[in-house]
Structures are given as structure tokens and as C-alpha cells.
């Protein structure tokens, strides 16, 4: 939607579609609205993003409300571009996504959740699309149930990622680095970039159909949210939960900042490996264990090994096993040895406290000194001596090895498997460094988080994550929350400087909501005049995970007691990826309980990770990261490869990525549409193993969308020739088929209810897919076609009555199914439901499917015997089609005969419930080679007999019961039973006999 610059009228753009869709739309617009002819536009940045332009764009002047005249000719085929136009803008304009929207069927319940705020740095990927698909399905389902729903959108400022992107941009465009600007100037550059690019994610969310309340959208650097971050820091400092200390942190030399654990990737090396490292022209060698000797008095030595020889200059001790006889000399324990390289003293244990996490803890227990030999920029420090000072760390590695060789202390090197920590943001090798930082004490808060799960106050779904939750939190360490960046929430802590009245000023820190408050606190603390206090604010910013950990309540206005906070906090549920269980979810629980006195949510629903069709993790370097908009709108291979070239990959990685794209998407990605993508994502079992998503599966869901489209076209044609459908309560299903489809609909609604309540959305999509395709289309539609044509030997009045009943049952089956599918396919179901709306007797108070009541089983009737009996009919149809395919009877409809000892399924007689045999014979058509068919069937029979023999042979092996697991035995027994019970008899005239026992 766009507003005309002169008239101020609203302008909508809708693409043409296949068949007569474009002409139908044009006819409608010409008839009802003023059109500016010949005006065409493209989507925003179409040339840059590679998205297809609208095929036809009609600029419409609209005074009030927009809705399309759905009585116009129905397009012949389904087009996602046509269907998905306009509805989202209309939903948003009508306020359907706001919890304040009034619904006639409203209940006194609320459902609230926040979207896991994506990073503002770029675009969503298929993992985000899965999150949106699941959360939107839950939000729409609850909204249709009459709940007051608040699904709140947001975006994370992503401190490290955003600053890195902007720094690269400035270097590329202006040849300047961050240090060439003042802090204020650089932050202006970041805000400028954010304002230009930051709305891309919101555009994607709208394209995905996310029913978010955009009036409450929250950015973690908004003024209100920043107040909440400052307040949280102050309160935690006042309670002693935040402190400043020297500790060993994960350090990225490329970023010159500490980073979070979640931003560290472990690269497993099997042995010697050459890797590219930022700042080095040549690849650096890793996966090598170097052994060297420390010389002792009396021609003795201690041999030690390390994968990081450059850090040996920071060794302050040697560790030996107390039971090793080589080190049972008393003088060895107490003597100090002068190290050749840097004149440091080495004791009886070998430890490098400033560069290794384990050694740092050991040094604290034994009061050993710490010696930092690598600086924050990755350059060797002056403590190494002049021969290494100023040398880059991995260049220093080679110099140290050379020096060891020269002093005959080198004892060799060999391949060594290792786990190398890599910065996910910069690709740099992480360096553990000793730095003064701000930390959060986590032990007590972690204990309470574990207790919340144990006592049932917090439910984790699936349950198997509970054990992992308890294990990690029970062993959690303190959390480093300071980052050496400029973009983010600057820490509201101030160092007291240059004041003779304040002792140890270097270590004196105060905090406050403002500099004035901090100065007042310092004056009270030290008993001096506030004007005499000089403060310097900490230049560091807070970890992004700290601010995002406040999201569930800060987004609702905390620390103010707003109405939103009172009504929607705690949230009903948190839904997110399982990879964030500790770094985000656990911290939200800890901070929420500590700062608000309540858990931030009652349930946590984790979904699995989305991988490619080969099961590989999505990675830009593999070329398998897919933009959901590329699946929705389609994209060419050329554009996919252009995106790789536009990225920040190493040229060698780019080549690999593009080759992978050529293999996986030789013709690009076809247009699938939002509804098909969402339905495909929700059709996987999200609560379990990782999801291996293939575009072909999404494409099959698009075909399902077309099936729905054609079904509604058929239904509309049926309704056009019949009177207004009556309600199901008023409709008396005369035939067994009518009773059966109504019973199947009841069963489907029941499966949907159970699936949504248990958050097993794949069972819901499976039930709906099965009902629409197999029950509604394959069976019911085919069975009523003769009825709708008026065929039969009964009176005209009776045939008219049957047509009316069939049309009514068909209408309700379709309309109820559309309501069931609405949470997954909001665009298509809205379009089709609106087409059916003129045939309803509704008063039209809520003219959108998204706010209609969700179907309930209490509104329908189930006939279990009818469903059970009809299974035989379904089997007959299946076998008839199988025979037809096997005999290649694809053009002519063959004549069929049936013989049985009971009347066939009819309008007025049900199947007798007794043991029976049904023979289905198909007369061969002219031109069919009977001998060839008999040969093929004989081969198939022999193959089946061979499989049965093999299965039986497995069960007759010695000790079969003891050796074979129960699950395998049961599977084998089922297989044998199936082969034995499904005996097929092939005769000369291809007669197929089915033995069927009715229960």
C-alpha cells in the first residue's frame, strides 16, 4: 500500500495471475474503482534483490476500505503472487493483529509471546522462517479461539555484527576504519546504516504473513528499551550480582573485544590443517603438537607439549604427576629455574594462567602469577622480550620453534586432533586473554532457574531438554557482559579518577542512571563534596545477550508498571530454536525472575535446527543458506550466485559456495509462495531431530495449494447451481457418503485440537493434508459428481434434494477445512474463504477468516462405524486404481464387475459387518498384451515370495529371540504378517481377490 503524493489516496498494487486472473482483476477494478491506466511499478529494489516485478500493476484510488469483489470470475489456476497480494495490508489496516480488536466470540483469556528478535544486520534465513511459521500458527490459532493475542515484533541491535558490517562498509567506500572517527561520528554512521537497511527484516516478516502487532514493535536500542537496560544493570549492581574483576575471556583479536560463548564456533581438526586467519596473507598451520624441553640443573630437563608454542613465554610453572618417579627429587619441587627466553621463573608446575582457562583456575587455587604475552590486538607484548615484541602471534609461533631448535630444546612435533575456537563474527581464532571486565554472578540465579523446572513452574518442551537444562545451569560460571565496542548500550558505570580524597581510585567504580546520579553515589560513598568528584564513564558496552535477556518484560514497558506489563506478563510461551537454550533462554529466565519476581514465561517450546537436504548445517561458505523470499518469489541461479559474490566470503569459499549452488539449484528456485513454504516447514516434526528441508518438498506443498484452489473452483460451480447451503445442523445427510465425510471431518478437527494443544504441528498439517486430498478430493468429490449431475432413477424432487444436501455438505467440508488450515496458510485460505463468503448466512460482522472461530469437534458429529466400514470401500478403490495402472488402462474407462455376498456400499444400506470376500475383476481392453502382463505379475509374485522367505529365515536363526532387539523383532514380525495376510492371486484374466475381515 502506498499513498498518492497529490491526492493522498491509498494505492494498492496487485499482480496479474495465470489464466484469466489478470483480466478478472482488471474488470473488477474498472467496474468499481478509478484506475490510472498504463502505470506500472516494480517491487522495491527489484533490480538489487533479484525479485520479480509485478506482472501488472494497477494504481487504485481508494477512499475508505479495500476488499476485492470475489464474485468475479475465479482464476483457472493458483498463483501465489496473485493470492498473496493485498491481504496483509488489509489485515493490518483492520487491526486484526492487535489484542484490542473486538471479536464476537472473545473469551476472557490472553495469549502473549515475543518473536526472538533477529539481528538488524541483514535478512532472515529459513531457520527464522521456521520460527515465524510455528509462532504465527500458534498466534492465529489462539486468535481464532477468541483469545486476546499479543505477538510482539522486535529487532536486536546486534552489537558485534552491526559494528563489523558498518566498519567493512566504511573501509570499502571511504577507506577509513572506526578509529578514524570520534565515537559520536561513528555511531551516526551506524544509525544511518540502520535506518537505511534495518527495515528489511520487517519487510520479510510481513511477506511471511506474520500476524505481529506492529504498533508495539521494539528495537533494543530504542530510548525506552535503553532505560530498561540501564535500570537492570543498576539494580543488579546494587544487589551485588554484577561486579568488576580480572578474568579470562574469549577474545577476538580481529574485533579487539571479548565475545560471548555463543559467538564461538568449535572447528574440529583431525590433524595438520592450514587455515586462513584474518590479518595473515598466508594460511596458518594448526593441529600440530609441539614438544620441547625446559632445562633443569644437573643436566636434567622437563619435556612439555603444546599446540600453542607462542604462549610458552607466558608459562609461570610446570605441572608434573605426583606419582611420576622422574620427578621424585625434592630439589626439583622447590628450586626455581631461569627460563632462557624471557627470564621468568618456572616452578614445580607448568601453567600459563593468562592464556588458558584451565590454567587460570589452577593459578587462582595456588596463587600463581599471570603473565600476558599476547595483546588484545594479537601482537606479542613487551613481556616477551625485544626479540618478539610487536610480532603477530602466529608469526611469533614460528620464531619460538626456530629459537627452540637453535638452543637444542626442540623435541619434535606431530599431528594432533584438536578443537579450534573460531569467532563466528570475524572468522578469527579466539585467544583466551586475561582482562578486567564486568561479570554477572550466575550461581544463585542458575539454581533458581533449575528449581523452576523441577517444581513445574516452567515447562520445557520437548521434555528431553530438561536434563540438558539442569546439567548446564548446575555448572554455569559467571557471565562476562562487557564488550569493547562502540555500538550498543554503554555501560552506566563510572570510574572515579584524579581525586586525592578517594583511595585506590583506579579500582573505585560507581554506577548510576545518569552521570549526576553516579556522582552523588560516589560522594556519599567516600564522604566528599559531589563537585570534587571526577568521573569517567566506562567506554565498553553491554553484551547484546544482556539486553535481549530483558526482552520479555522490557518490550512491555518495564520498569514502568504499564498496562501491557500488567496484562501480558508473564508471556504465555517462548518459542525458539534449541541452539539458544542457554545463551538466551536461560538468561531470560534468570534476569526475569531476579528483576520482576516472576518467570518471564510459563512454557518454552524448542524447535529443531533447519539443515539442507543433505543434513548439513546452513552455512554461507557451503552456499546452502536460503533466503525465504527466494523460495516465496523464486530466484534464478544467476541471482543466487550474485548474492554470494556480494557477501563477505573469502574468494576461495565463494567458488565452493557457487559450485554447490549450481549442483543444488541448476535452474534456480521456482516460485513456491508463502503458504506453501509455511505449510512445508510446519509439516516437519520440529520437536526432535534436525529438519532437512528440501525445496522439492516446498514445491509439493505448492501443488497442494493448487489442489485446494481447484477444489474451491469446483465447489463454487456447484454452489452456483444450488440454493444457499443450509447449516450442518439443519442438513440431514441422506447418503452414507455424506455421513462418512462429516465423520471424517470430525476426526480431522479432533486431530487438529490435539496437535495444537500439544504443539505437535506436524500432526495437524498431516491430518489436514490427508483429509483434503484423500477424503475430500479422492473420494467424496468423485462420489457426488453423479449426484450433482442429477443422475439416478429416483424422482426429480428426490434428486434435487440430494443435490442440495451434497452441495451443503461439500460447502461446509471446504469452509471448515479452510478455517482449520488458516493458521498455516493465511493468504490462500483468506482468498478462498472470501470467495465462499457470499454463500454463507453470516451477518458479516467479521469479514475475515483470520478472526473467525476455530472449528470445534462439538460442532460436528462422528460416526465411527461408518468410518470403519468405509475402509473396505477405500481398499477397493485403491486396488482398482492399482490394477488400472498395472494394466496400463489409462485412456478408456474399463468395464468393472463385482461379485460379493453383500450389497455394495449405497445411499441407503451400510456394509454388513461379517466375514466377506470381494472379487474385483477388470476386463482387459483391446491392445493389451495379456501374456506380457501375466509375466510381469508372475515376476512380482516371485519377488514377494522371496522377500517373505528371507523374512521368515531371519526369525528361524538360532538364539533369534535373545540376540535381536525387541524393536527389530517386532518390525520383522509385522513384515512377515503383512506378506502372509496380503496374499495375491493372479489369474489368466487378471482377477484380483481381496480377503477382508470386518471387525
Amino acid at each position: 500500500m502506498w499513498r498518492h503524493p497529490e491526492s493522498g489516496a491509498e494505492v494498492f498494487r496487485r499482480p496479474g495471475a495465470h489464466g484469466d486472473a489478470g483480466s478478472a482483476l482488471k474488470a473488477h477494478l474498472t467496474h468499481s474503482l478509478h484506475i490510472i491506466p498504463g502505470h506500472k511499478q516494480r517491487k522495491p529494489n527489484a533490480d538489487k534483490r533479484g525479485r520479480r516485478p509485478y506482472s501488472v500493476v494497477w494504481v487504485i484510488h481508494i477512499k475508505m476500505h479495500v476488499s476485492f469483489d470475489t464474485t468475479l470470475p475465479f482464476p483457472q489456476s493458483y498463483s501465489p503472487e496473485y493470492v498473496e497480494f493485498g491481504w496483509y495490508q488489509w489485515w493490518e489496516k483492520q487491526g486484526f493483529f492487535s489484542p484490542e480488536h473486538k471479536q464476537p466470540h472473545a473469551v476472557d483469556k490472553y495469549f502473549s509471546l515475543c518473536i526472538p528478535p533477529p539481528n538488524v544486520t541483514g535478512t532472515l534465513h529459513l531457520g527464522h522462517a521456521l520460527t515465524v511459521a510455528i509462532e504465527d500458527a500458534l498466534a492465529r490459532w489462539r486468535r481464532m479461539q477468541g483469545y486476546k493475542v499479543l505477538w510482539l515484533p522486535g529487532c536486536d541491535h546486534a552489537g558485534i555484527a552491526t559494528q563489523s558490517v558498518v566498519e567493512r562498509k566504511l573501509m570499502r567506500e571511504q577507506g577509513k576504519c572506526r578509529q578514524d572517527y570520534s565515537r559520536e561520528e561513528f555511531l551516526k554512521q551506524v544509525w544511518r546504516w540502520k535506518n537505511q537497511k534495518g527495515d528489511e527484516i520487517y519487510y520479510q516478516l510481513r511477506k511471511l504473513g506474520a500476524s505481529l502487532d506492529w504498533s508495539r514493535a521494539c528495537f533494543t536500542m530504542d530510548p525506552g528499551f535503553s532505560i530498561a537496560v540501564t535500570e537492570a544493570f543498576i539494580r543488579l549492581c546494587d544487589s551485588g550480582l554484577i561486579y568488576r574483576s580480572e578474568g579470562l575471556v574469549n577474545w577476538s583479536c580481529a574485533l579487539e573485544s571479548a565475545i560471548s560463548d555463543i559467538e564461538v564456533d568449535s572447528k574440529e581438526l583431525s590433524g595438520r590443517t592450514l587455515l586462513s586467519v584474518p590479518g595473515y596473507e598466508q594460511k596458518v598451520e594448526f593441529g600440530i603438537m609441539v614438544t620441547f624441553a625446559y632445562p633443569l640443573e644437573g643436566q636434567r630437563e622437563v619435556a612439555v607439549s603444546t599446540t600453542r608454542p607462542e604462549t610458552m613465554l607466558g608459562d609461570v610453572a610446570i605441572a608434573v604427576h605426583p606419582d611420576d618417579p622422574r620427578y621424585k627429587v625434592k630439589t626439583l619441587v622447590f628450586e626455581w629455574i631461569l627460563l632462557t627466553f624471557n627470564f621468568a621463573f618456572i616452578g614445580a608446575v607448568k601453567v600459563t594462567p593468562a592464556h588458558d582457562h584451565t590454567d587460570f583456575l589452577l593459578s587462582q587455587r595456588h596463587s600463581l602469577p599471570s603473565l600476558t604475552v599476547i595483546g588484545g590486538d594479537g601482537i606479542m607484548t613487551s613481556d616477551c622480550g625485544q626479540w618478539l615484541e610487536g610480532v603477530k602471534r602466529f608469526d611469533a609461533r614460528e620464531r619460538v620453534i626456530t629459537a627452540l631448535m637453535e638452543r637444542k630444546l626442540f623435541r619434535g612435533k606431530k599431528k594432533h586432533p584438536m578443537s579450534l575456537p573460531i569467532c563466528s563474527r570475524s572468522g578469527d581464532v579466539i585467544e583466551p586473554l586475561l582482562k578486567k571486565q564486568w561479570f554477572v554472578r550466575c550461581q544463585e540465579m542458575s539454581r533458581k532457574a533449575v528449581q523452576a523446572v523441577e517444581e513445574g513452574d516452567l515447562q520445557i518442551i520437548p521434555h528431553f531438554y530438561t536434563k540438558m537444562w539442569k546439567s548446564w545451569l548446575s555448572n554455569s560460571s559467571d557471565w562476562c557482559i562487557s564488550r569493547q565496542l562502540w555500538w550498543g548500550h554503554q555501560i552506566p558505570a563510572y570510574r572515579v579518577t584524579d581525586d586525592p580524597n578517594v583511595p585506590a581510585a583506579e579500582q573505585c567504580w560507581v554506577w548510576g542512571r545518569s552521570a549526576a546520579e553516579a556522582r552523588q553515589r560516589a560522594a556519599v560513598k567516600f564522604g566528599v563534596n559531589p563537585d570534587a568528584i571526577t568521573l569517567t564513564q566506562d567506554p565498553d558496552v553491554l553484551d547484546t545477550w544482556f539486553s535481549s535477556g530483558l526482552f520479555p518484560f522490557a518490550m512491555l514497558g518495564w520498569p514502568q508498571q504499564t498496562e501491557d506489563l500488567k496484562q501480558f506478563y508473564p508471556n504465555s510461551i517462548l518459542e525458539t530454536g534449541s541452539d539458544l537454550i542457554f545463551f538466551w533462554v536461560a538468561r531470560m529466565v534468570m534476569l526475569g525472575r531476579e528483576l520482576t519476581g516472576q518467570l518471564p514465561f510459563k512454557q518454552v517450546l524448542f524447535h529443531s535446527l533447519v539443515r539442507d537436504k543433505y543434513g548439513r548445517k546452513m552455512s554461507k561458505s557451503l552456499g546452502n543458506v536460503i533466503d525465504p523470499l527466494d523460495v516465496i518469489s523464486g530466484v534464478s541461479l544467476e541471482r543466487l550466485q550474485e548474492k554470494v559474490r556480494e557477501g563477505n566470503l573469502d574468494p576461495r569459499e565463494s567458488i565452493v559456495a557457487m559450485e554447490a549452488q549450481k549442483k543444488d539449484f541448476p535452474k534456480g528456485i521456482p516460485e513456491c509462495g508463502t503458504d506453501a513454504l509455511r505449510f512445508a516447514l510446519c509439516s516437519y516434526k520440529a520437536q526432535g531431530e534436525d529438519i532437512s528441508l528440501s525445496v522439492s518438498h516446498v514445491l509439493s506443498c505448492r501443488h497442494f495449494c493448487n489442489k485446494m484452489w481447484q477444489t474451491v473452483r469446483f465447489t463454487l460451480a456447484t454452489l452456483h447451481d444450488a440454493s444457499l447451503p443450509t447449516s450442518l445442523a439443519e442438513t440431514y445427510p441422506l447418503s452414507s457418503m455424506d455421513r462418512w465425510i462429516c465423520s471424517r471431518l470430525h476426526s480431522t478437527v479432533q486431530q487438529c485440537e490435539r496437535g495444537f494443544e500439544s504443539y505437535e504441528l506436524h500432526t495437524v498439517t498431516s491430518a489436514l493434508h490427508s483429509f483434503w486430498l484423500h477424503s475430500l478430493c479422492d473420494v467424496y468429490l468423485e462420489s457426488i459428481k453423479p449426484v450433482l449431475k442429477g443422475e439416478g432413477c429416483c424422482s426429480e424432487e428426490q434428486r434435487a434434494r440430494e443435490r442440495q444436501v451434497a452441495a451443503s455438505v461439500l460447502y461446509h467440508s471446504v469452509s471448515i477445512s479452510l478455517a482449520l488450515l488458516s493458521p498455516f496458510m493465511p493468504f490462500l485460505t483468506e482468498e478462498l474463504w472470501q470467495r465462499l463468503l457470499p454463500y454463507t448466512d453470516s451477518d458479516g460482522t467479521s469479514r475475515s477468516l483470520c478472526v473467525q472461530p476455530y472449528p470445534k469437534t462439538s460442532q460436528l458429529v462422528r460416526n465411527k462405524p461408518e468410518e470403519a466400514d468405509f475402509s473396505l470401500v477405500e481398499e477397493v478403490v485403491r486396488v482398482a486404481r492399482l490394477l488400472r495402472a498395472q494394466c496400463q488402462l489409462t485412456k478408456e474407462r474399463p468395464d468393472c464387475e463385482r461379485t460379493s455376498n453383500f450389497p455394495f456400499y449405497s445411499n441407503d444400506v451400510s456394509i454388513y459387518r461379517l466375514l466377506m470376500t470381494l472379487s474385483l475383476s477388470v476386463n482387459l481392453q483391446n491392445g493389451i498384451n495379456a501374456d506380457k502382463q501375466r509375466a510381469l505379475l508372475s515376476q512380482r509374485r516371485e519377488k514377494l515370495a522371496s522377500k517373505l522367505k528371507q523374512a521368515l529365515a531371519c526369525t528361524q536363526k538360532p538364539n533369534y529371540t535373545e540376540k535381536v532387539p525387541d524393536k527389530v523383532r517386532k518390525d520383522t514380525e509385522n513384515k512377515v504378517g503383512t506378506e502372509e495376510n496380503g496374499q495375491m492371486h493372479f489369474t489368466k484374466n487378471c482377477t484380483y481377490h481381496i480377503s477382508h475381515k470386518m471387525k
Side-chain angles (χ1 to χ4, degrees), residues 113-118 135 150-157 202 212 216-222 225 228-229 232 489 544-558 565 568-569 571 574 584 587-589 591-592 595-596 600-601:
L113 73 163
C114 63
I115 195 170
E135 292 181 13
L150 174 60
W151 185 23
L152 206 146
C155 205
D156 191 90
H157 65 277
Y202 288 172
L212 295 150
R216 291 174 165 90
C218 179
F219 179 51
T220 52
M221 287 292 286
D222 286 341
F225 202 99
V229 173
H489 298 102
T544 300
W545 295 106
F546 182 85
S547 53
S548 61
L550 312 175
F551 206 78
F553 48 95
M555 68 178 188
L556 297 173
W558 184 90
L565 188 67
F568 298 109
Y569 186 82
N571 292 174
L574 174 79
W584 188 45
R587 287 165 178 172
M588 280 191 288
V589 171
L591 293 174
L595 294 169
T596 69
F601 26 74

Side-chain angles (χ1 to χ4, degrees), residues 772-786:
W772 195 290
L773 283 186
H774 305 306
S775 299
L776 183 60
C777 295
D778 290 352
V779 178
Y780 185 70
L781 280 181
E782 296 301 321
S783 70
I784 65 172
K785 283 180 180 178

Side-chain angles (χ1 to χ4, degrees), residues 263-276:
E263 290 158 336
V264 178
D265 294 333
S266 293
K267 190 176 186 65
E268 300 300 326
L269 306 181
S270 59
R272 181 178 181 272
T273 307
L274 296 176
L275 298 175
S276 298

Side-chain angles (χ1 to χ4, degrees), residues 715-901:
T715 304
L716 288 171
T718 300
L719 295 172
H720 181 71
D721 298 331
S723 57
L724 192 69
T726 57
S727 66
L728 278 179
E730 299 171 341
T731 301
Y732 179 72
L734 297 179
S735 72
S736 298
M737 288 304 302
D738 294 331
R739 294 195 298 273
W740 173 79
I741 194 65
C742 289
S743 184
R744 285 291 301 120
L745 184 58
H746 177 284
S747 300
T748 303
V749 173
Q750 187 177 62
Q751 288 176 281
C752 292
E753 289 176 339
R754 293 173 178 173
F756 266 119
E757 291 291 348
S758 62
Y759 303 124
E760 296 279 354
L761 299 188
H762 69 285
T763 64
V764 183
T765 57
S766 176
L768 292 170
H769 185 269
S770 177
F771 174 79
W772 195 290
L773 283 186
H774 305 306
S775 299
L776 183 60
C777 295
D778 290 352
V779 178
Y780 185 70
L781 280 181
E782 296 301 321
S783 70
I784 65 172
K785 283 180 180 178
V787 176
L788 296 174
K789 292 178 181 178
E791 298 176 3
C793 58
C794 54
S795 66
E796 179 62 34
E797 183 180 353
Q798 180 67 18
R799 290 199 298 270
R801 174 60 182 162
E802 289 180 353
R803 282 199 304 271
Q804 176 62 31
V805 171
S808 293
V809 172
L810 175 60
Y811 166 79
H812 290 296
S813 297
V814 170
S815 61
I816 291 175
S817 299
L818 290 175
L820 294 171
L821 280 160
S822 179
F824 304 100
M825 298 178 162
F827 294 104
L828 178 59
T829 55
E830 183 74 69
E831 178 84 23
L832 298 179
W833 185 84
Q834 292 285 349
R835 296 276 177 178
L836 293 172
L837 189 59
Y839 297 95
T840 184
D841 57 356
S842 170
D843 59 3
T845 53
S846 297
R847 300 184 64 85
S848 174
L849 179 57
C850 70
V851 289
Q852 290 297 304
Y854 199 75
K856 300 179 181 179
T857 51
S858 59
Q859 301 167 337
L860 303 166
V861 177
R862 186 174 187 184
N863 191 324
K864 289 186 179 180
E866 203 86 42
E867 287 192 62
D869 291 347
F870 193 74
S871 61
L872 176 58
V873 179
E874 290 182 294
E875 181 68 6
V876 170
V877 173
R878 185 189 69 81
V879 171
R881 288 175 173 170
L882 177 64
L883 273 177
R884 186 178 182 183
Q886 287 180 344
C887 298
Q888 301 177 356
L889 307 179
T890 57
K891 294 183 178 180
E892 294 184 47
R893 176 173 294 181
D895 296 327
C896 296
E897 298 178 359
R898 59 170 177 79
T899 59
S900 65
N901 63 342

Side-chain angles (χ1 to χ4, degrees), residues 361-609:
L361 296 175
L362 186 64
S363 71
Q364 289 183 313
R365 291 197 297 269
H366 295 278
S367 302
L368 295 173
S370 297
L371 185 64
T372 299
V373 296
I374 300 177
D377 54 0
I379 303 298
M380 306 304 286
T381 68
S382 59
D383 290 334
C384 302
Q386 293 183 355
W387 72 291
L388 276 184
E389 182 180 0
V391 178
K392 293 194 290 188
R393 53 181 170 154
F394 295 127
D395 292 340
R397 174 179 295 184
E398 300 302 323
R399 292 197 185 188
V400 167
I401 293 175
T402 300
L404 288 170
M405 290 178 175
E406 290 174 353
R407 289 164 176 74
K408 298 183 179 181
L409 297 175
F410 184 75
R411 297 294 177 263
K413 64 180 182 178
K414 61 181 180 179
K415 297 178 181 179
H416 181 71
M418 63 180 296
S419 180
L420 190 68
I422 303 292
C423 174
S424 63
R425 301 299 182 187
S426 64
D428 194 16
V429 177
I430 293 299
E431 194 69 49
L433 291 184
L434 198 59
K435 294 286 184 178
K436 290 183 178 179
Q437 303 284 297
W438 293 92
F439 293 87
V440 176
R441 303 183 196 276
C442 294
Q443 286 73 20
E444 182 60 21
M445 289 193 292
S446 296
R447 185 190 66 78
K448 291 179 180 178
V450 171
Q451 184 182 26
V453 173
E454 291 176 338
E455 295 179 354
D457 297 329
L458 179 64
Q459 182 185 9
I460 294 179
I461 307 169
H463 183 70
F464 59 76
Y465 284 114
T466 300
K467 183 177 180 181
M468 190 187 305
W469 176 272
K470 294 178 181 178
S471 176
W472 187 83
L473 286 173
S474 298
N475 298 282
S476 62
S477 57
D478 288 356
W479 169 21
C480 174
I481 59 171
S482 46
R483 300 289 179 265
Q484 290 62 51
L485 306 171
W486 285 354
W487 172 247
H489 298 102
Q490 190 171 354
I491 296 177
Y494 303 79
R495 185 164 59 88
V496 182
T497 58
D498 302 328
D499 194 328
N501 298 316
V502 178
E506 175 62 24
Q507 299 301 321
C508 288
W509 289 83
V510 291
W511 43 85
R513 295 166 184 84
S514 64
E517 181 181 338
R519 183 174 288 102
Q520 186 63 39
R521 284 172 175 252
V524 172
K525 181 177 181 179
F526 302 114
V528 298
N529 191 314
D531 296 334
I533 298 293
T534 302
L535 300 178
T536 302
Q537 186 173 0
D538 193 332
D540 292 351
V541 299
L542 288 166
D543 179 13
T544 300
W545 295 106
F546 182 85
S547 53
S548 61
L550 312 175
F551 206 78
F553 48 95
M555 68 178 188
L556 297 173
W558 184 90
Q560 303 298 321
Q561 291 301 306
T562 63
E563 288 300 318
D564 278 356
L565 188 67
K566 294 175 184 177
Q567 188 170 18
F568 298 109
Y569 186 82
N571 292 174
S572 304
I573 191 172
L574 174 79
E575 195 283 332
T576 189
S578 55
D579 54 332
L580 297 180
I581 183 171
F582 307 125
F583 306 104
W584 188 45
V585 181
R587 287 165 178 172
M588 280 191 288
V589 171
M590 291 191 292
L591 293 174
R593 189 160 194 169
E594 186 64 33
L595 294 169
T596 69
Q598 294 177 286
L599 292 170
F601 26 74
K602 304 166 187 176
Q603 294 178 312
V604 182
L605 175 62
F606 290 116
H607 65 248
S608 304
L609 301 182

Side-chain angles (χ1 to χ4, degrees), residues 97-237:
F97 303 156
S98 170
E100 287 78 27
H101 177 73
K102 303 297 181 183
Q103 300 187 56
H105 62 288
V107 296
D108 189 20
K109 295 181 180 179
Y110 78 89
F111 181 77
S112 63
L113 73 163
C114 63
I115 195 170
N119 290 353
V120 73
T121 50
T123 58
L124 304 183
H125 51 67
L126 286 179
H128 294 113
L130 174 63
T131 300
V132 171
I134 293 174
E135 292 181 13
D136 194 40
L138 296 176
R140 288 177 179 272
W141 168 60
R142 287 300 191 192
R143 191 178 291 115
M144 294 177 74
Q145 286 188 317
Y147 282 58
K148 185 178 288 188
V149 174
L150 174 60
W151 185 23
L152 206 146
C155 205
D156 191 90
H157 65 277
I160 292 176
T162 301
Q163 181 163 312
S164 298
V165 168
V166 175
E167 286 192 72
R168 287 195 297 269
K169 178 177 180 292
L170 293 175
M171 179 57 68
R172 182 175 62 252
E173 296 178 356
Q174 302 180 22
K176 294 183 178 180
C177 62
R178 169 170 45 117
Q179 289 74 16
D180 294 328
Y181 299 86
S182 67
R183 182 171 187 145
E184 291 72 20
E185 291 172 340
F186 179 77
L187 291 179
K188 287 181 180 179
Q189 294 286 344
V190 179
W191 276 109
R192 185 178 295 113
W193 176 89
K194 187 269 176 188
N195 293 331
Q196 291 173 347
K197 303 294 185 181
D199 289 339
E200 173 66 12
I201 289 174
Y202 288 172
Y203 170 75
Q204 287 182 298
L205 290 173
R206 285 181 163 93
K207 284 289 292 181
L208 285 167
S211 57
L212 295 150
D213 183 0
W214 293 105
S215 67
R216 291 174 165 90
C218 179
F219 179 51
T220 52
M221 287 292 286
D222 286 341
F225 202 99
S226 297
I227 291 173
V229 173
T230 298
E231 184 68 24
F233 184 88
I234 299 302
R235 292 190 185 187
L236 293 174
C237 281

